[in-house]
Every structure is written in structure tokens, then in C-alpha cells.
Amino acid sequence: MRVPLSKIARPGWGIAFDTRGNSADLSALSLPERVCVPLQQHIGSAATPVVKPGDRVLTGQPLARAAANRLGAAVHAPLAGRVQAIARQPGPGRTGLAVSIESDGTDERWPGYTAHRDPLRLSTSALRSAVVQGGIVGLGGATFPAGVKLNRGSGVDTLILNGVECEPVISCDDALMRTDVDAMLLGAQIMLRILEADSCIVALKDGMADALQTVTTALQTLADDRFSIAILPPVYPAGGEAQLIELLTGREIPAGGLPWDSGAICQNVATAAAVAHLLRSGEPLISRIVTVTGAVVAPANFRVRIGTPISHLIAAAGGYTDTSSRQLIMGGPMMGIELPDDSLPVVKATNCIYVPTIDELPATAAELPCIRCGDCATACPAHLMPQLLLQAQATSDTERMQSLGLQDCIECGCCDYVCPSKIPLTRRFVAAKQELWDIAFEKRRAAKARERIAARTTRQQRQQQEQADQLAAQTHNVSDTDTAHQKLQELLQRTGADREDPS
Amino acid sequence: MSGRHAPHWLSRNTVPLTMQRVIIALAPVTLCTLLWFGVGVISNLLLLVLFCAALEAAALTLRQRDVRAGLADCSAIVTALLLGLTLPPALPWWLLLVAAVFAIALAKHVYGGLGQNPFNPAMVGYLAVLIAFPDDVARWPQPAFAGMDQVDAVSAATPLDSIKMQLNQMRTMAEITAQPAFGLLAGRGWEWINLAALGGGLWLLRKQVISWHVPGSMLLTLAAAYFLLFAFTPATQPSPVIGLLSGGTMLAAFFIATDPVSGAASDTGKIIFGIGVALFCFGMRTWGAYPDGIAFAVLLMNTAVPLIDRWTAPRIYGHRERPR
Ligand code: SF4
Ligand code: SF4
């Protein structure tokens, strides 16, 4: 069967990075001696622990379940061993409760999962709850809980399997497509079934020749005519969800909306593979592929258990080189976060550990005034005019910032990258957004409080009225002073009860 | 916790690099002007660079800004060079000083310095002295290649000027262009100066210092306007080639109208800006009192920039309408 293949033209926005030669093959990695698994590795709320210190856990055993009725995801034991502590620990980007486990070296599997020979025969609700149970989150970096995104009846007709890897230097998706393509495609079929969608586009980046070959061959064998392949130009951030949907379907996520409002959703190629591993072999999300690159002796991709200390990966990659800047970045050079040191654990969001060389990082250049060159506007994938946003920000004109689309900024950093005046635009927009958010939050809280007070006042007035009516009816046998006293007593009781009222 | 904020990579492009590239791109046209108009060009340029740099330093000191960083961005040098190439050679020093004061002190620093000026500084300086001292500024000597074949050493009209005057005297274009003041394509000397500016401009395009939007729309509109009139009355209208290779056309298209600070923000805005400059310039050349209306045209369009920016803001991703 011929697999439909389309090549997407280079968009006007973004930054063209030349695809670097990457070592996409998987290298072997020993099990770490201990892991540290943060209970919150995604947006939403932290998971609730179901083990306690001293417990022996097996590989894949649930450590914590997603908080009920909240956005979140479960976490599982990445290896077999003893729970040493559940305590607040610094993690990449956030400090919070984490489960530390010392490995006993057995890697004994938890038997609590069923492996299905043919997961595609399961009901959609069974599939979906398995995805939730398995703690599957988007592995592209945003770690949005996959179960939430995979919703029946959301009107999604297109599933995009995102293997574009929009940031330079990262190659974990490339490695996944080359080494785990069957799982990826099965996962995609499962997702299509959950979504009741009828088309799936596998999106790759121009230059991923081997991955393209692998995916094409696998699709030919699979002969599922819902699949097609799209090759994206090596432009950052073509692999961003909103941009990818636009480039592939011509549709946009409406402002303030959610991805599925566009009728298409993206799932990372590794997420799809994780879904397949879960249902076919009963393995929850306990590992992922991580690119270790930059100023290390032997840059490589590893399949890493979640919670593994980053130092373990660095050692496996031969250690730092002389040209290393001794800076650690989790993620890519455009959106990655800087880590204070390599003792932190790998989490579900860790797609890459990038050690820049000294000359890859810009010297902190003095910021010059904006010369209105417009390069930032040309580069902005959201079609904003960062130079005007900057002006509005300088005068704290929040209204103008909002009408200029501050909320639509995806914080991709393209504007900073191109700016000849070296203005940290993204950082300012992030701060301004946070401020707006805080203001809105305060407003909501104040409004809620006002509502509560108003409701209570009317309730009290009603009660008083009722009591007055009752009292009026009873006056024939109770003296006036007694009435007044009783009324006061009652009122006091009610207001006391009111205070407990959780509304 | 972490000091660095994403993005961790930044392009190597900087304001000083941009300005330095503009200066390099001005080399051919400077050389050509020098060859055809002699050492008077050098004295102009040297004095203007001196005045502009000194004024920039003085203004920065007064405004309590970093003088070294301000001078290092090279923007004052670019202004000086553009002034020097638009003014006729060998002007008295005090006149150049007046031009520099208007350009750097008034047009730039009164408005807040680099990035804040709504008007193109070089054009403000040029127009100030053109209006104040029209006898010195509106007249150019006859170009003479490397000082040889001196046709007429005294100041004379520029080719654009003389075309206009002679057309008024009922001469035809054929008669006019047959005169020794005209070369192969346009005014003798001027054609080379314009071609040199075009060359430098194309290099800037290739280096992505400027985008095609302003020069492209401006030159196309200018050519189209010349062509329209020329097609109907070829005897009494200069051809598009003369129009494009006369006066400061190419210098303006690639180096002056492309000034980002006083220009439009979006790509569509830049196209409108270029069309506007071309139309005003053509109108002034054809019907106005001054032979070359480029400086007026640029300043007029500068005033329209806030409006253009509002009209042409691109539609934001996920929105139905353009921001207002
Ligand atoms: S890239 Fe920088 S200098 Fe250019 S317009 Fe944007 S903010 Fe201003
Ligand atoms: S960070 Fe925001 S403003 Fe800057 S290019 Fe990206 S989306 Fe546009």
C-alpha cells in the first residue's frame, strides 16, 4: 500500500535551524541505584501517595493515584525496591513531594496489570480508563494528562502524531520512531479508537531520513488507510501543538480555547508508544527516551526510568567535556529550563538534557532600545507584534497588552532569538501574563466573597423575617422580654451555623 | 533558582552589526559619489561624521546615558553618511553643523534617542538646510568623472531639475537626453551613483539587514507611475529608467525609507509605506516645486506610520479579527 505523504512548505514565521546530525540510536543504560519520583510532574494537582516509607514496591506498582476530579496523573514505581522516604524534594522546575526508592536490583515486575493480546478489541471506556490508570501524559514536554485529551465525542476528527521535535539538538522522538515504531502505531490506533477519529497524520521533520523510512515501511505493513505522513520544514516551533495543527489542517485553535476545539489534537509519538506498552505489555509510564547532548563526551539517547538522577545519564554519556559551560538545560535551547545541578531526577517531561558549550550561550549582552526593526513580528508564530507589546508593557498598559494578544503568546522565544537589541521579550511577556493572571484571580476571589456575603445577608434577612412572623403568631403566650431574648439566642445560633457553612 | 531564562540561544545579529553592515553597504555609492563629485564629498562626510558623533555624545551625556554604548551602536554614523550623500559636495562647515544639529539633537534625541524618533533623522537634517539655505543645497555641480572632462565647474541643475526646466521650455525628452549632461541610462554620473546604491542595497537584502518590502514596493510603484505617464506622452515624460536612476531614488529605497525606527512595523505596513513614499516622491518630482521629493515623501509617510501600524496589525493566531 502506498502511504500518502505530504511536504509542508516553510511558514513565514519561526526560526530555521539546520538539522544537526544527531545520534538517534538508543544506547544502553544501567538501572540507577535509587530513584526519586516527584508526585507532580505535570500541570494540575499532585498525585496522592498510596505507599508509605518502608514498603517494598515492584516495578510498575502504583505509587500515587491522581487526585479525584482534578487534572493530574498517577505515578508508578520505576523499579523494584524499598520506599525510603516521601518528602519534599527539589525537582526540575518545581519542588514538591517525591517518593525515593532504593533499588534492590531485581527489577521485579508488579503483576497487577493485564496484558492484552489485542487491545483494539477493548471497549473505548476501558481503553480510556487504562490510559488514566497508567499515568500516561504527553511526552512532548508539556505533560498534559493524555486521558483528558483523549475524549470521546469531543469532535476531534484528526489525530496528529507529533514526531517533529521542534527544538534543535533534541532527537528523542527521532530515536523513538526508529526503535519503537510498531508500538507507536498501535498506540495511535488505540487513540483513534478512543477518539472515534478517522485520520491520523504522522508528522516528521525534514532531515529525519531514517525515521521516515522506518515509519513508511511500518505503515505499508500495517495497511491502515487512516494514516498519512507529513514532513515539516526544520523550522522552530513547527512542532508546537497550535502551529502543527495550523500547518497540517489549516485550522487554528480558537483564542482562549483548547486544542480539541480545532477538531484536531496532537499527541507525541512517545505518548502513543507508551499507550501501546501499557495495554499490550501491562507497563505503565515508568520510562521514557531522553536525549543527552551538547558538551558531553558521547551524546546519546537513552531509555531512562523516571526518577533516575540526571548525573547517572551524564555519566553514561561519558561525562562533561572541557568545553562544557557547566550549565544544564532540561529541554532544548529555545524553551528549556535551566537546572541548578545534575542531582535532580528525570521526570516525565524530560525529553532532553542539554549541556551547552561555552560559546553556544550568548554572553550577556547589554540590552539596547528597540529599533522597531520588526524582526520579532516576522518570527512570531502567533502573529503578534512583540515590539508593540513591549511598548505597552513598558507603560504598564495592560489593556493594550491584552488587545495586542498577550494571552496568545506561546512563549516560544523566537522574538528574543532574532532581536538585534537583545531585549528579553519573552521573559517580560511571561511576567506580564502572570500579573494579569494574578489580577484576574484576585478579582474572581473578591467577586466570590462578595457573592457569599450578599447571599448570607439575604438569608439572614429572610430568617429574621420568618422568626418575626413566627414570634408574632406566638406572642399570645410568651412575654415580650422573653421573645426578645429567644430571638437573640436563635439568631446567634444561626449565624454561628452560618460560619460553618462551606458555601 | 535558575538565572537564565529561555531562550538560551540568541542570534548573532545585533544593532551595531546591523549598522556596520549598512555602513559597508554604503561604500560603493560613497565611492561613486566621490569619483563623480570629487573631494568635496569627503570633506562633507568627514565633517558630518565628526559633528554627528560629537552631538550624539553630547546628547547622551545630557540625558545621562551610556555614551560609549550609544556611540558603539553606530547609528549616528549611519545618519551622518546618509546626510553626506544627500547633500551636495563641499558645503561650508556651519551648514553641515546645522544639518547635524537638526538630525541628531532635534530629530533623534529630543524624542528620546535611538528607537524613539518618529521621523527619519537624516531627512529632517536634510530638509532643514534645504529650506533654510536653498541656494547652497538645491544646486549640485556638474558631475565629472575623476575630475577629468570638466564640463562646467560651476553649480548647475541636477538632471531631474534640468529635465523639469527644459520640459517647461517645450523641449522634448529626446532633445534633453541627447545633451552631454545625460549618459547611457539617466543623468551622467547619477546613473552610476544610483546603480552603486542599488548594488549595496541588494547586498543588504541578501544579508537580511533589510527586507524586500519597502524597496520592492517603492521601486515598483515609482516605475509603474513613471511608466503610466511615459506610455502616453513619451516625448514629454522621463522614462521609468531615468526616474529610477536619478537623484536619491536608490539611496532612499534601500537606505532611507528602510529605516526601521521611523518606518511601519508589519510587512504589509512596510509595503504601504514604500508605495506611499513612491507616490509622494513621484508627485513632487512631476508637479512639485522641488526637483527631488524623496525627503518630503519619507517624512510625510513617517507621520502616517502610527495609522499604518493600526491598520495593518496582522490577525493573531486563533482570532477572527485583527487587533485594534
Ligand atoms: S526584534 Fe527587537 S529591536 Fe526589533 S522590533 Fe522587535 S523588539 Fe524591537
Ligand atoms: S514568545 Fe510570544 S511574542 Fe515572542 S515570538 Fe513567541 S509567541 Fe511571539
Side-chain angles (χ1 to χ4, degrees), chain A residues 47-85:
Chain A
T48 322
V50 293
V51 293
K52 44 186 197 316
D55 286 1
R56 177 164 192 254
V57 291
L58 301 180
T59 307
Q61 182 176 341
L63 292 179
R65 59 182 154 70
N69 296 326
R70 295 269 178 91
L71 190 61
V75 292
H76 302 81
L79 39 69
R82 202 158 294 281
V83 176
Q84 287 189 307

Side-chain angles (χ1 to χ4, degrees), chain A residues 370-376 387 419-421 423 425:
Chain A
C370 166
I371 58 163
R372 287 176 44 97
C373 65
D375 288 358
C376 50
Q387 73 272 52
C419 178
S421 291
I423 304 172
L425 296 150

Side-chain angles (χ1 to χ4, degrees), chain A residues 376 379-382 384 386 389 408-416 426 429:
Chain A
C376 50
C380 179
L384 304 181
L389 263 176
D408 303 286
C409 167
I410 58 168
E411 299 168 23
C412 63
C414 288
C415 47
D416 286 40
T426 313
F429 300 157

